[in-house]
Amino acid sequence: MAETVINKNNNNRAFRILLLLSLLVPLFFLADLLVGSYYISIPEILKAIFRSENADAQIVLIINQFRIPKAFTAILAGAALSVAGLQMQTVFRNPLAGPYILGVSSGASLGVALLVLGTGGLLGGGIVSAVSSWGIVAAAWIGSGLVLLVIVMISARIKDIMTILILGILISSAISSVVNILQYFSNESTLKSFVVWTMGSLGSVTNIQLSVLFPSVLIGIMIAFFSSKFLDAFLLGENYARSMGMNVRFARLMVFLSTCILAGSITAFCGPIGFIGIAVPHIARMLLQTAKHRLLVPGTILIGALMMLVSDIISQLPGSESTLPVNSVTALLGIPIVIWIIIRNKNSGMI
Amino acid sequence: MIGEEKIIALNNATIGYKAKTHSVNVVKAGISVYALKGELVALIGGNGVGKSTLLRTIAGFQPSMGGDVLIRGKQVNAYREKELALIMSFVSTEIIRVPNLSVFDLVSLGRYPHTNWFGKLLDEDRDIVEEAIKSVGLKGYENRMVNYISDGERQKAMIARTLAQNTDVIVLDEPTAFLDLSNKYEIVHILHELASEKGKTILFSTHDLTTAIAESDRMWVMLNESVEQGSPEDLILNGDFASLFHSEHLFFDQEKGDFRIKKLTKRKAIVAGKGIAVDWTVKALERNGFEIIDSESAGDVIVIIDVAYPEWTVMHQEQTAKFDSLLSVCRYLNRM
């Protein structure tokens, strides 16, 4: 039938955009390897990656130990935060939901703070080994899970999107205050290791930590992808989803598990990174012109990765020797998009 | 009819909410009504009488607080979600606003209980979705976004979604609430056709008596004390409608099948003339508090109106005035 053909064309358009995005990601990955305080040319980079035995040992070290882990972390962080944001926006039916804005990220920092400051001796001067990395990640998951639980309870009672948003910001501030108080009461050496963590950035993630971060993000994204059908049904709200045969409790558990793993893991290693999780799902919906999650999940993964790579490149201030904190860059990129969402939705009556 | 299967049956059911401590907040008790195959059932009742609670209980969103709520002979809460979704679909009052969701994708969500874990649509599913869209008159709207179609079209798309779900029972909570008059008639008419032609049992709540009386096979009337059922005509004849909204300002007109506002009639008038203009003149006078009488009696007639459309002659206490519209007639009478 003609309509089916049009519908398939729509899907084809989405597939073409996804293909284009997946070509852009390696391109920007390479571009991200180029920037840094020490200039390395493209041929040198390629040589260091593919024929390291012939390359300058120092360049190989910079590429393998610093730039590749950082760029790879950027991809993971962008993808994870964006998919977490997409799931939150769908399940809460709130276009302004996101892991940072609703306090899920700060919940993760509280988890990490309690672990680091509470067991300062155990962790020693820094967060280095894989075992302690898993501990950090688990603490972040639990912290973000608890905040998510509070938001679920609030949104069961309050339907107004803006009210939930304000409450989320309040929760976020309250948790930050608790973290500050914890810092105040902790001794100098544990405080130091925590402060190092709070200043965390994409570049501070070591290869050992990546061996924890990568499987965590992979699992989170897999759960999200397998929840595509649930997420589609959640678009109409829980009652409709149930009336169409969805096991709401199981579906919600899966989605929240994925959100906690994704937002918690990234916050655990990179510190709080804002506005990627809220902005990227909207860009994906706009580009792909669809509400179907089996297209939106891959779309947000790719756009999130791209946006984070771009943020990282900007934060290196190409041509200069200093770097900016990456979460300032994501805020400056993301906030205009959030403002645009608010104005557009205000006009069409969706908020 | 005896022996026919009751698709939906409530036996002495109690609806309500669980309050905080073990007590129960009862909205209504002792409800015994049913619906048969192929019936369009209208649920009517005043605001706050518990229509939505009843529908939500039947749809299985909240447990009944006592008695039986049976769907095809089995307690609704004994079904698993997926089982129930193959028998019953639901449309709520809420306006669905989802950005970038096309009509086709919205309707295809109805295939949820029929597709695999990934929600992949097979050709057969696509055909069913197309057919559902066609049967509510939305052909050509497949790729329109649901945020950019009218409320009436969106409601039709929601109904098409229940058709794609392909269930024997469809429950709709005020499907015509936000719609204009023509859309109201159209939606209820579509529901009627689905019930009679496809043999579905369709239960919907409404405040719109006229369309419900015109199209529904059975009515459930939620009164303050009880819930009555019957064909609309039976309910009019036995006076159940009259007790539906007992208010000093309203009365139920058994002839016209609708509620009217009670007017205090202070003045009397005689209307003379022929044609449809006379009927509308009578309506205008009634609205302005006149009682229409046939002939002068006891000398209390105040106004005589002669209708010769498009001209009205008003005679009153030896004075005669001519008007070219009912609006000016009414203004003149009110100034008297």
Side-chain angles (χ1 to χ4, degrees):
Chain A
M1 283 180 215
E3 294 78 19
T4 318
V5 171
I6 299 166
N7 199 273
K8 277 183 179 157
N9 284 345
N10 239 10
N11 279 351
N12 285 345
R13 179 177 172 273
F15 280 125
R16 275 203 300 275
I17 291 170
L18 287 179
L19 190 72
L20 180 73
L21 288 170
S22 49
L23 294 176
L24 284 175
V25 170
L27 217 63
F28 276 82
F29 182 84
L30 201 64
D32 197 25
L33 296 182
L34 267 176
V35 294
S37 50
Y38 181 77
Y39 174 75
I40 306 173
S41 67
I42 297 178
E44 280 175 307
I45 290 173
L46 293 175
K47 203 164 107 183
I49 297 172
F50 296 109
R51 283 186 302 156
S52 52
E53 63 279 5
N54 298 339
D56 180 342
Q58 211 172 353
I59 289 177
V60 173
L61 182 80
I62 293 175
I63 296 292
N64 284 348
Q65 296 297 315
F66 296 98
R67 293 202 184 167
I68 287 182
K70 184 171 61 93
F72 195 58
T73 306
I75 288 180
L76 289 180
L81 293 172
S82 307
V83 173
L86 173 70
Q87 295 185 87
M88 290 178 77
Q89 288 174 8
T90 298
V91 173
F92 292 119
R93 302 171 75 198
N94 182 340
L96 294 176
Y100 182 74
I101 218 155
L102 289 185
V104 176
S105 295
S106 41
S109 11
L110 179 64
V112 177
L114 284 174
L115 185 78
V116 175
L117 301 175
T119 63
L122 184 91
L123 291 161
I127 307 158
V128 277
S129 74
V131 177
S132 59
S133 294
W134 279 113
I136 297 277
V137 158
W141 291 348
I142 295 168
S144 50
L146 289 176
V147 172
L148 209 50
L149 213 65
V150 172
I151 294 167
V152 170
M153 289 194 296
I154 290 172
S155 47
R157 283 175 180 76
I158 299 163
K159 295 290 169 217
D160 183 65
I161 289 170
M162 284 301 182
T163 312
I164 293 173
L165 205 66
I166 291 165
L167 289 173
I169 292 165
L170 290 177
I171 292 170
S172 200
S173 312
I175 294 172
S176 304
S177 309
V178 173
V179 173
N180 285 340
I181 292 170
L182 282 176
Q183 288 183 34
Y184 187 79
F185 284 110
S186 51
N187 67 47
E188 207 172 316
S189 69
T190 53
L191 182 64
K192 193 181 157 214
S193 66
F194 183 72
V195 169
V196 168
W197 177 81
T198 54
M199 293 193 304
S201 65
L202 301 174
S204 65
V205 178
T206 62
N207 277 329
I208 297 168
Q209 289 170 340
L210 260 180
S211 71
V212 173
L213 189 59
F214 178 63
S216 305
V217 170
L218 199 66
I219 290 170
I221 283 177
M222 292 284 270
I223 299 175
F225 194 64
F226 284 117
S227 304
S228 292
K229 190 180 174 181
F230 297 150
L231 290 165
D232 283 352
F234 268 124
L235 285 174
L236 303 185
E238 287 188 6
N239 277 340
Y240 274 121
R242 186 181 308 154
S243 82
M244 295 186 297
M246 187 177 88
N247 183 338
V248 174
R249 212 172 274 187
F250 177 74
R252 204 162 42 184
L253 180 72
M254 283 301 115
V255 170
F256 288 162
L257 206 64
S258 162
T259 305
C260 290
I261 291 174
L262 291 171
S265 310
I266 296 302
T267 312
F269 291 123
C270 309
I273 296 174
F275 302 102
I276 290 287
I278 176 172
V280 169
H282 289 280
I283 303 174
R285 285 190 205 97
M286 204 180 63
L287 278 180
L288 300 175
Q289 286 292 312
T290 184
K292 283 183 288 195
H293 287 82
R294 57 180 178 276
L295 294 172
L296 284 179
V297 171
T300 44
I301 290 171
L302 294 170
I303 296 168
L306 269 180
M307 191 144 161
M308 208 62 212
L309 284 171
V310 169
S311 303
D312 190 44
I313 292 169
I314 294 173
S315 78
Q316 299 294 327
L317 290 173
S320 90
E321 293 211 348
S322 46
T323 54
L324 301 171
V326 76
N327 44 15
S328 309
V329 178
T330 60
L332 289 176
L333 282 180
I335 287 173
I337 297 171
V338 177
I339 292 172
W340 169 73
I341 297 162
I342 292 175
I343 291 170
R344 189 194 59 170
N345 285 352
K346 259 274 142 10
N347 290 341
S348 60
M350 268 179 269
I351 291 183
Chain B
M1 277 174 269
I2 298 152
E4 214 173 322
E5 188 198 3
K6 292 172 181 169
I7 305 287
I8 307 174
L10 283 82
N11 298 327
N12 201 21
T14 303
I15 57 170
Y17 298 89
K18 278 204 179 79
K20 269 176 192 158
T21 49
H22 303 285
S23 66
V24 168
N25 193 359
V26 172
V27 172
K28 196 160 287 288
I31 305 171
S32 296
V33 287
Y34 61 86
L36 304 176
K37 185 178 165 62
E39 278 187 335
L40 177 63
V41 183
L43 170 64
I44 59 167
N47 279 333
V49 78
K51 293 195 299 294
S52 282
T53 311
L54 179 59
L55 291 183
R56 291 171 55 84
T57 309
I58 290 170
F61 296 158
Q62 57 187 80
S64 77
M65 299 291 133
D68 298 329
V69 178
L70 306 169
I71 304 296
R72 303 245 307 255
K74 184 172 163 183
Q75 295 286 353
V76 67
N77 291 319
Y79 282 100
R80 289 180 49 221
E81 289 99 343
K82 194 159 179 183
E83 262 182 300
L84 193 60
L86 294 170
I87 300 173
M88 179 164 58
S89 50
F90 182 77
V91 176
S92 77
T93 32
E94 186 190 7
I95 293 176
I96 293 296
R97 288 192 178 283
V98 180
N100 294 322
L101 182 67
S102 69
V103 169
F104 185 93
D105 288 343
L106 173 66
V107 175
S108 65
L109 279 176
R111 296 307 293 162
Y112 191 99
H114 305 274
T115 54
N116 68 0
W117 64 270
F118 199 47
K120 183 167 171 49
L121 293 180
L122 306 174
D123 285 345
E124 181 201 342
D125 295 308
R126 290 182 168 277
D127 290 347
I128 292 170
V129 171
E130 291 293 341
E131 185 55 38
I133 290 172
K134 211 169 90 184
S135 60
V136 296
L138 282 185
K139 199 169 165 50
Y141 279 72
E142 286 81 355
N143 289 304
R144 300 275 295 274
M145 297 298 174
V146 292
N147 277 359
Y148 298 103
I149 57 178
S150 74
D151 289 343
E153 289 156 356
R154 195 179 302 118
Q155 201 58 279
K156 285 179 200 165
M158 290 307 284
I159 292 170
R161 188 192 51 91
T162 68
L163 296 179
Q165 201 171 329
N166 194 18
T167 57
D168 289 347
V169 184
I170 304 175
V171 177
L172 308 98
D173 193 359
E174 294 194 31
T176 60
F178 306 105
L179 305 183
D180 62 23
L181 205 58
S182 66
N183 271 309
K184 266 184 192 167
Y185 274 94
E186 207 183 334
I187 293 277
V188 178
H189 186 66
I190 287 172
L191 294 178
H192 178 88
E193 297 217 312
L194 293 174
S196 61
E197 282 169 22
K198 303 203 170 166
K200 293 179 184 295
T201 303
I202 303 178
L203 169 64
F204 74 108
S205 62
T206 184
H207 284 292
D208 192 32
L209 270 182
T210 330
T211 46
I213 288 171
E215 299 278 357
S216 65
D217 301 299
R218 178 188 297 270
M219 278 182 145
W220 295 356
V221 182
M222 279 188 108
L223 305 171
N224 281 332
E225 300 77 26
S226 61
V227 182
E228 304 296 332
Q229 67 172 339
S231 78
E233 296 74 16
D234 288 334
L235 292 166
I236 291 171
L237 291 173
N238 70 19
D240 273 333
F241 274 165
S243 55
L244 186 53
F245 306 102
H246 45 123
S247 133
E248 44 191 280
H249 307 296
L250 276 178
F251 73 96
F252 186 76
D253 185 331
Q254 285 194 318
E255 270 177 47
K256 297 200 168 80
D258 204 354
F259 286 90
R260 306 187 156 271
I261 297 168
K262 282 182 195 163
K263 299 271 185 188
L264 289 175
T265 51
K266 295 188 204 111
R267 298 178 286 181
K268 294 183 179 177
I270 291 176
V271 179
K274 275 199 186 101
I276 194 166
V278 173
D279 298 336
W280 288 106
T281 307
V282 168
K283 269 195 201 301
L285 290 171
E286 281 176 347
R287 185 176 70 236
N288 284 286
F290 281 88
E291 185 187 339
I292 310 301
I293 54 174
D294 293 333
S295 57
E296 204 168 337
S297 62
D300 61 354
V301 169
I302 300 170
V303 184
I304 298 170
I305 298 169
D306 188 39
V307 185
Y309 189 77
E311 192 178 69
W312 284 264
T313 313
V314 179
M315 284 163 278
H316 167 60
Q317 289 177 348
E318 314 297 316
Q319 289 178 15
T320 302
K322 286 185 188 294
F323 301 95
D324 61 357
S325 74
L326 275 172
L327 189 66
S328 28
V329 172
C330 293
R331 284 194 64 82
Y332 172 74
L333 291 174
N334 285 334
R335 273 202 312 271
M336 267 174 9

